[in-house]
Amino acid sequence: MNLFTPLTLPNGAVIPNRLAKAAMEENMADADHAPSAELLRLYQAWAEGGAGLLISGNVMIDGRAMTGPGGVVLEDDRQLDRFRHWARTGQAQGAQFWLQLNHPGRQMPANLGQPTWAPSAVPLALGNMSRHFTEPQAMDEAKIAEVIWRFANSARLAEQAGFNGVQIHAAHGYLLSQFLSPLSNQRNDQWGGSLDNRARLLIEVVKAVRAVVSRDFTVAVKLNSADFQRGGFSAEDAREVVLRLNDLPVDLVELSGGSYEAPAMQGDARDGRTLAREAYFIEFAKALQNVAKMPLMVTGGIRRRPVAEQVVASGVAMAGIGTALAIAPDLPRQWQQGQDSAPALRPITWKNKVLASMANMAAVKFQLRRLSRSRQPRPQVAPAWALLVQQIGNLWQARRYRRWVRNLCHKPGRPTA
């Protein structure tokens, strides 16, 4: 087995090779929060780059609940033709293309002007940056039922649009991850307390999604290997959740880690653990191989071919690559041709970890914007400049979003649970 050996999933779908373009938040929706021309150009670059699997950035299941301005929303069939175009673009060179479905929960910027929902009324702990996020309201049974329905509804629409599958985002501190963590989930009903209860929402979402899509449509889950916060969702918890997912028709589990509070997906742990410089979560994946019945994928910092080969040689089915593909979208093709490219961004050594995390994300998005305009990436961009550019863009996108959501709420036919 090597990086360019096909992978057959439990549902029979075949991924051409073991390299995946992992999800990165693009924030490139058009004025209707549908896939824009720029987003299509970006995915054309990745489709031509040789990865066997493309996983989209966040696609929101509810237009009132966004991870950021400029996000793509799939909650009805109004823009389904744009999604069909997006699907065809990503699949043009033979890659599988999945939509990553997400709900932010409490990780929604306050400047979007929407109420924030979470398992419990526990605000984000980000120091001075906490003011940029609204204190959440605890969800009642009706809100939880609506979220389950919305994940299933968006998956059904994704299949109609021609995508090969969906990935349910239960990592990085977003809503499903918030339910899994005892730090953010302090409920004492059937949705909180024991791990069985904290995992209930994820399990119910997977069941609801699988019930409305065909058997050969892929259903994957993105799961934290740990939150990397003391008292949070642990590696032992992750193992138990994978055991529960074994009983469901889940075709692949991607392992990542962290949240806004502890961005381990960028190599920064808050609980004192030291993460590897590349393939941050491979040790967790190795431990879970003994219990997982479905293929596993590991994402986090991979940028060199020997590291990706190490991931696959260890028995992990797929290596997910993010930032490196924002710099070199044709990296898989380069590796297949024998080149040893190892793209990297300019290092960020700021003492403020939250600000450094924001700058890192801004530097990645800076590359994505250049690719979307058919320009060459600039990996040595100054992090402060990238962050400034993004903040200015966010202000404009947030204003546009607030206008859009006001109009959306008054349109006839808005979906409800």
Side-chain angles (χ1 to χ4, degrees):
M1 183 194 307
N2 61 45
L3 293 179
F4 298 97
T5 302
L7 172 66
T8 302
L9 299 178
N11 67 348
V14 178
I15 300 176
N17 60 54
R18 304 305 179 98
L19 297 172
K21 194 290 289 180
M24 291 175 279
E25 189 173 31
E26 306 101 359
N27 296 117
M28 289 184 193
D30 64 16
D32 295 312
H33 286 270
S36 65
E38 290 79 11
L39 191 62
L40 267 59
R41 279 196 294 271
L42 177 60
Y43 276 80
Q44 181 180 349
W46 281 324
E48 294 171 352
L53 170 63
L54 307 182
I55 305 176
S56 76
N58 291 318
V59 173
M60 312 316 302
I61 62 171
D62 186 343
R64 301 162 301 180
M66 309 287 288
T67 56
V72 172
V73 178
L74 181 57
E75 62 177 355
D76 56 40
D77 61 3
R78 298 176 195 273
Q79 303 295 332
L80 213 54
D81 283 344
R82 295 294 299 167
F83 282 90
R84 290 189 178 102
H85 193 178
W86 192 18
R88 290 193 299 269
T89 299
Q91 296 161 347
Q93 302 299 320
Q96 290 265 312
F97 190 6
W98 305 346
L99 286 189
Q100 183 187 78
L101 303 182
N102 195 11
H103 187 296
R106 64 179 183 169
Q107 290 186 168
M108 181 169 72
N111 67 352
L112 298 185
Q114 297 298 304
T116 302
W117 299 94
S120 304
V122 178
L124 283 167
L126 294 172
N128 291 335
M129 302 303 295
S130 298
R131 69 183 186 277
H132 295 291
F133 297 89
T134 304
E135 184 167 338
Q137 304 173 47
M139 298 171 69
D140 59 18
E141 290 283 347
K143 283 289 182 186
I144 292 172
E146 181 182 349
V147 163
I148 295 170
W149 176 84
R150 282 182 173 277
F151 270 102
N153 180 59
S154 295
R156 177 183 59 82
L157 291 167
E159 184 172 26
Q160 286 185 20
F163 292 91
N164 302 106
V166 293
Q167 182 187 69
I168 298 166
H169 201 334
H172 296 175
Y174 294 119
L175 183 66
L176 299 185
S177 179
Q178 290 162 33
F179 269 85
L180 288 169
S181 171
L183 294 178
S184 50
N185 183 348
Q186 299 179 4
R187 303 174 72 97
N188 55 14
D189 60 4
Q190 65 171 331
W191 305 100
S194 69
L195 181 60
D196 272 338
N197 284 351
R198 286 183 279 119
R200 190 182 305 277
L201 181 56
L202 171 59
I203 299 301
E204 292 303 316
V205 165
V206 172
K207 289 179 178 177
V209 166
R210 180 49 81 188
V212 299
V213 298
S214 61
R215 186 63 190 91
D216 59 355
F217 185 76
T218 297
V219 177
V221 171
K222 185 167 188 171
L223 183 70
N224 271 0
S225 55
D227 284 349
F228 298 94
Q229 291 177 276
R230 289 184 178 86
F233 184 75
S234 67
E236 292 74 22
D237 289 341
R239 180 182 185 277
E240 291 299 317
V241 172
V242 169
L243 284 171
R244 287 155 177 77
L245 293 176
N246 279 341
D247 297 329
L248 302 173
V250 171
D251 298 299
L252 181 139
V253 169
E254 177 187 352
L255 294 169
S256 187
S259 66
Y260 284 14
E261 292 176 326
M265 56 282 199
Q266 298 176 16
D268 179 43
R270 186 178 283 188
D271 64 357
R273 283 186 249 188
T274 300
L275 298 178
R277 291 179 63 85
E278 291 184 58
Y280 309 141
F281 310 111
I282 187 172
E283 296 303 322
F284 296 96
K286 288 178 181 177
L288 287 173
Q289 284 181 77
N290 297 326
V291 299
K293 293 181 179 178
M294 74 291 287
L296 298 179
M297 169 176 155
V298 66
T299 299
I302 298 171
R303 64 185 185 87
R304 292 184 296 139
R305 177 173 177 162
V307 175
E309 289 173 337
Q310 177 191 356
V311 168
V312 174
S314 74
V316 176
M318 295 204 69
I321 306 173
T323 299
L325 287 179
I327 302 168
D330 62 341
L331 188 62
R333 204 167 299 287
Q334 292 181 32
W335 287 353
Q336 191 170 23
Q337 294 169 353
Q339 301 177 42
D340 289 325
S341 306
L345 292 174
R346 183 171 170 175
I348 301 174
T349 57
W350 301 354
K351 291 182 179 179
N352 186 317
K353 296 298 184 183
V354 174
L355 206 58
S357 173
M358 292 174 60
N360 181 77
M361 289 188 288
V364 173
K365 290 180 183 179
F366 186 90
Q367 315 308 319
L368 300 184
R369 284 193 297 272
R370 290 186 66 84
L371 288 174
S372 75
R373 297 165 183 166
S374 302
R375 297 178 182 175
Q376 289 298 310
R378 281 176 48 198
Q380 293 304 307
V381 63
W385 173 251
L387 185 58
L388 176 62
V389 170
Q390 179 180 303
Q391 293 303 308
I392 293 171
N394 281 351
L395 290 173
W396 176 79
Q397 286 184 318
R399 285 196 296 269
R400 189 178 72 170
Y401 167 77
R402 290 193 295 268
R403 289 194 300 269
W404 175 81
V405 79
R406 282 195 298 270
N407 293 333
L408 181 72
C409 291
H410 296 297
K411 285 182 179 178
R414 177 179 172 79
T416 57

